[in-house]
Amino acid sequence: MTVRFEVVDQVARVTIDRPDRMNAVDAATDARLDRIWSEIETRSDIRCVVLTGAGDRAFSAGADMKAANGLSGLEYWGAANPNGFGGIALRQSLTVPVIARVNGLALGGGFEMVLGADIVIASTEARFGLPEARVGRLPLDGGMVALQRLIPRNIAAGLMMTGRMLSAQEAARFGLVNAVVPPDGLDAEVDAWVADILSCAPLSVAAIKDTIRSTAHLNPQEARDLRRPALIAALKSEDSVEGVAAFREKRAPVWRGR
């Protein structure tokens, strides 16, 4: 398998396992990733996902150019996955939070997958870039439309129009990365974020993610008043009563996800 997928204690870990190819994504890997995200969407036992690449050199170098399918740029665009690169860059239907564990280079589609995550934890060795213009292509699978919505427009334009890379520290300065840590502290930092997510009510987390993803185009008043199903489910849940009761009783809440 080119992607490892395991679920332990309500946490799914998705690892692109092609370190000899800098975790570049070929057609088989892309299909496997898309199936994994679809499976995660159907499972109630998963409350958080950690996405990363094998080894310590790359999160993912993007599309595997040596395994190209021969499509022209226009043909590739026409056949593009609506969920974006790796089935995650533009995915809107996933309700659980995704943490990108960026252990090295995140280029092209690799960077686009990072843009599809909710939380980004990067090693000090991480680098981000969308170099498609350097080979006469475009960041069609999420980068060209998502990056400018997450960092200042001119910074996004400069990266895409030059193919330059962004360091982990620069990415953090622009608000793209939540934390930057030395390589030997990456797993501990990711685990700390996972633990904090699991300490929260799952339906509350799902409603927050849904609201962030679905209301960015609205003004604050419109967004607040939008009656999203995930929001209603969280407000009507048993967990919303349990959380308050646990606080008053000075005990840890027992979340049931309902």
Side-chain angles (χ1 to χ4, degrees):
M1 284 292 182
T2 58
V3 184
R4 299 199 307 268
F5 174 49
E6 58 182 350
V7 181
V8 178
D9 296 333
Q10 299 183 300
V11 180
R13 297 186 185 270
V14 179
T15 305
I16 303 170
D17 194 11
R18 304 185 76 212
D20 58 317
R21 301 289 304 134
M22 300 288 283
N23 297 318
V25 175
D26 59 6
T29 305
D30 186 67
R32 170 73 173 149
L33 284 167
D34 203 46
R35 289 194 299 271
I36 287 170
W37 299 121
S38 295
E39 178 180 340
I40 290 172
E41 289 180 348
T42 68
R43 294 180 57 166
S44 60
D45 62 324
I46 296 174
R47 293 184 52 200
C48 181
V49 183
V50 177
L51 173 64
T52 193
D56 56 9
R57 296 174 61 205
F59 173 84
S60 173
D64 190 341
M65 299 292 286
K66 291 186 177 180
N69 52 23
L71 295 178
S72 69
L74 196 59
E75 290 169 335
Y76 180 87
W77 185 41
N81 186 334
N83 290 313
F85 196 90
I88 188 63
L90 295 172
R91 199 175 198 98
Q92 296 297 311
S93 50
L94 192 63
T95 60
V96 296
V98 176
I99 298 175
R101 173 189 176 275
V102 187
N103 49 315
L105 293 174
L107 303 178
F111 192 7
E112 290 174 321
M113 288 190 289
V114 171
L115 297 177
D118 304 290
I119 295 168
V120 182
I121 311 302
S123 157
T124 51
E125 303 302 308
R127 298 291 184 273
F128 305 85
L130 293 169
E132 285 84 349
R134 292 195 173 200
V135 294
R137 293 299 176 98
L138 298 167
L140 294 168
D141 286 315
M144 196 158 54
V145 295
L147 186 59
Q148 63 168 314
R149 288 166 167 78
L150 294 173
I151 67 175
R153 187 201 65 179
N154 284 15
I155 303 301
L159 287 171
M160 290 186 283
M161 291 177 179
T162 64
R164 292 183 179 184
M165 287 193 287
L166 196 66
S167 71
Q169 293 81 0
E170 289 170 324
R173 190 167 75 246
F174 294 127
L176 187 65
V177 168
N178 296 80
V180 179
V181 294
D184 60 2
L186 187 58
D187 286 330
E189 184 70 17
V190 169
D191 289 346
W193 284 81
V194 168
D196 283 344
I197 288 171
L198 296 183
S199 72
C200 296
L203 291 180
S204 293
V205 173
I208 290 167
K209 174 165 181 171
D210 179 75
T211 299
I212 290 172
R213 296 271 173 159
S214 63
T215 65
H217 63 293
L218 303 174
N219 68 46
Q221 290 76 23
E222 292 170 335
R224 180 200 60 190
D225 295 338
L226 195 63
R227 268 56 174 174
R228 297 283 299 177
L231 178 68
I232 301 301
L235 293 174
K236 294 173 61 177
S237 69
E238 294 177 18
D239 282 350
S240 70
V241 176
E242 164 64 10
V244 174
F247 177 81
R248 289 173 175 168
E249 295 165 15
K250 298 181 180 180
R251 60 174 175 84
V254 179
W255 304 126
R256 303 187 184 280
R258 63 175 189 260

